[in-house]
Amino acid sequence: MRPALLAALALCFLVIAGCSAPGPTTGTVVIGVTSELRAGVELDRMRVVLRAGGELLREDVLPQKSGQLFFPREFFFSDLEDGTAVEISLEAFGPEDAERPLLARAASTRVIGGRTLLLHVRLERECVVAPGDPTCPAPQTCVAGGCSAADVDPRRLEPYSASWKTDAEPDLCKPSSGGEPVVVVGEGQADYFSLEDLDEVQVEAGPQGGYHVFIAIRLKNLRQSGSITVVSGLVPELGYAIEPLKVIFTLDQDEGGFCKLAGLRFRLDGERTIDELLGKVVDVEVTVTDTDGDTGTGRRKVTLSQTIL
């Protein structure tokens, strides 16, 4: 073959090779966080710090009262260069201590180009630190009650799948085999007690003024943590719509596949005085919406007591 033809073929090969698609150079790591401690009961807020390549990406506090604190949840490190180090630092605070975290958890790994990996991080009861007790020295972190390396070899991580939340953390209040959401309205401050339509409920004076009744609910097929509960009421005789109550509390497990929530302090007076409301019938409606967007509604007609406790 003539030299000129060889040179032309070589040039053609170089052009084709240079124009071909490059191999994957970026990847993603998803941090999946679960917790043995319940949001709204044992946890009040969580501080989150995310870093990639040593640079701060996010620093935030997720409060329970605004619905931002729920589990399981995900934090994404998306489309980063192969080999980039990523790390997460979590500090979980209880409702009674405003300054000192109940537990701290850290984890880190590295990006593998062309792959999306899942790094599972769990907040465990064994890692709750009592006042005065020592914590794990950096770069270690608490895992299963002991101090372990925070860094995880990315080759040990499993591929990310959105189903990890269901597989890793079965929800007692929303099993995968469950049906449509069910909400049943009852009463009770410390526990759930059933009501029939037009049953009497006790009106109580609030510690900071105002008057209320305690509503409780039983429900199923809605998530245990992060669900938003809204209590509203209408007094048909007066055409009076009571100001709704909106809360985010973790549900307690109950019998028969149900979960429950008690102690919903539903204030009655506002535009109407309590004297106008005593003895009246109230149409109570409770709507629960979970973090998946599923909603259940329960209704009950109740009769307010003639007396105030």
Side-chain angles (χ1 to χ4, degrees), residues 113-126:
R115 298 183 62 186
T116 299
L117 303 175
L118 172 67
L119 174 56
H120 186 190
V121 175
R122 186 168 180 81
L123 306 183
E124 300 164 305
R125 294 186 186 279
E126 298 95 323

Side-chain angles (χ1 to χ4, degrees), residues 67-103:
Q68 298 181 59
L69 184 58
F70 58 86
F71 304 99
R73 66 179 310 135
E74 299 173 338
F75 299 95
F76 283 78
F77 293 91
S78 300
D79 300 324
L80 298 177
E81 289 295 321
D82 179 74
T84 301
V86 298
E87 57 183 296
I88 186 170
S89 174
L90 303 172
E91 291 182 330
F93 296 82
E96 298 179 357
D97 194 331
E99 301 296 333
R100 188 176 185 278
L102 283 177
L103 64 83

Side-chain angles (χ1 to χ4, degrees), residues 210-233:
Y211 300 87
H212 62 268
V213 294
F214 281 110
I215 299 297
I217 56 174
R218 293 184 84 220
L219 66 164
K220 62 167 56 176
N221 302 324
L222 291 161
R223 291 209 172 273
Q224 186 173 18
S225 296
S227 293
I228 300 172
T229 301
V230 179
V231 184
S232 56

Side-chain angles (χ1 to χ4, degrees), residues 8-283:
L9 289 173
L11 179 60
C12 180
F13 175 78
L14 290 173
V15 170
I16 293 173
C19 295
S20 63
T25 60
T26 62
T28 296
V29 174
V30 182
I31 310 291
V33 181
T34 58
S35 177
E36 294 181 355
L37 286 77
R38 295 177 296 169
V41 178
E42 297 158 288
L43 299 182
D44 179 69
R45 67 193 189 282
M46 182 171 68
R47 179 172 176 263
V48 181
V49 179
L50 304 180
R51 290 185 172 88
E55 298 293 327
L56 179 65
L57 295 185
R58 173 182 177 182
E59 183 172 0
D60 202 3
V61 175
L62 307 178
Q64 178 273 331
K65 63 182 179 181
S66 65
Q68 298 181 59
L69 184 58
F70 58 86
F71 304 99
R73 66 179 310 135
E74 299 173 338
F75 299 95
F76 283 78
F77 293 91
S78 300
D79 300 324
L80 298 177
E81 289 295 321
D82 179 74
T84 301
V86 298
E87 57 183 296
I88 186 170
S89 174
L90 303 172
E91 291 182 330
F93 296 82
E96 298 179 357
D97 194 331
E99 301 296 333
R100 188 176 185 278
L102 283 177
L103 64 83
R105 180 74 161 87
S108 61
T109 190
R110 287 162 300 287
V111 171
I112 295 180
R115 298 183 62 186
T116 299
L117 303 175
L118 172 67
L119 174 56
H120 186 190
V121 175
R122 186 168 180 81
L123 306 183
E124 300 164 305
R125 294 186 186 279
E126 298 95 323
C127 292
V128 172
V129 180
D133 284 357
T135 58
C136 293
Q140 293 185 319
T141 190
C142 182
V143 179
C147 293
S148 301
D151 192 63
V152 179
D153 188 332
R155 293 170 297 182
R156 295 172 47 198
L157 300 180
E158 61 187 270
Y160 170 77
S161 169
S163 65
W164 76 268
K165 292 184 286 187
T166 302
D167 297 338
E169 193 81 3
D171 195 310
L172 298 175
C173 301
K174 191 177 185 179
S176 57
S177 59
E180 292 297 314
V182 176
V183 177
V184 183
V185 178
E187 65 172 334
Q189 180 177 3
D191 203 352
Y192 170 89
F193 297 95
S194 63
L195 285 173
E196 298 295 332
D197 277 341
L198 301 180
D199 279 355
E200 183 178 283
V201 293
Q202 180 63 54
V203 177
E204 301 186 21
Q208 298 178 343
Y211 300 87
H212 62 268
V213 294
F214 281 110
I215 299 297
I217 56 174
R218 293 184 84 220
L219 66 164
K220 62 167 56 176
N221 302 324
L222 291 161
R223 291 209 172 273
Q224 186 173 18
S225 296
S227 293
I228 300 172
T229 301
V230 179
V231 184
S232 56
L234 175 68
V235 183
E237 184 178 336
L238 303 176
Y240 169 50
I242 302 171
E243 182 177 354
L245 168 69
K246 181 178 179 180
V247 296
I248 305 172
F249 290 133
T250 298
L251 309 174
D252 294 319
Q253 189 176 10
D254 201 7
E255 299 175 348
F258 279 83
C259 287
K260 61 184 177 181
L261 179 61
L264 297 169
R265 190 191 300 268
F266 187 40
R267 180 167 176 172
L268 304 168
D269 55 326
E271 296 180 2
R272 297 281 186 165
T273 67
I274 193 61
D275 290 336
E276 296 177 274
L277 300 175
L278 293 176
K280 296 293 191 294
V281 172
V282 181
D283 295 337

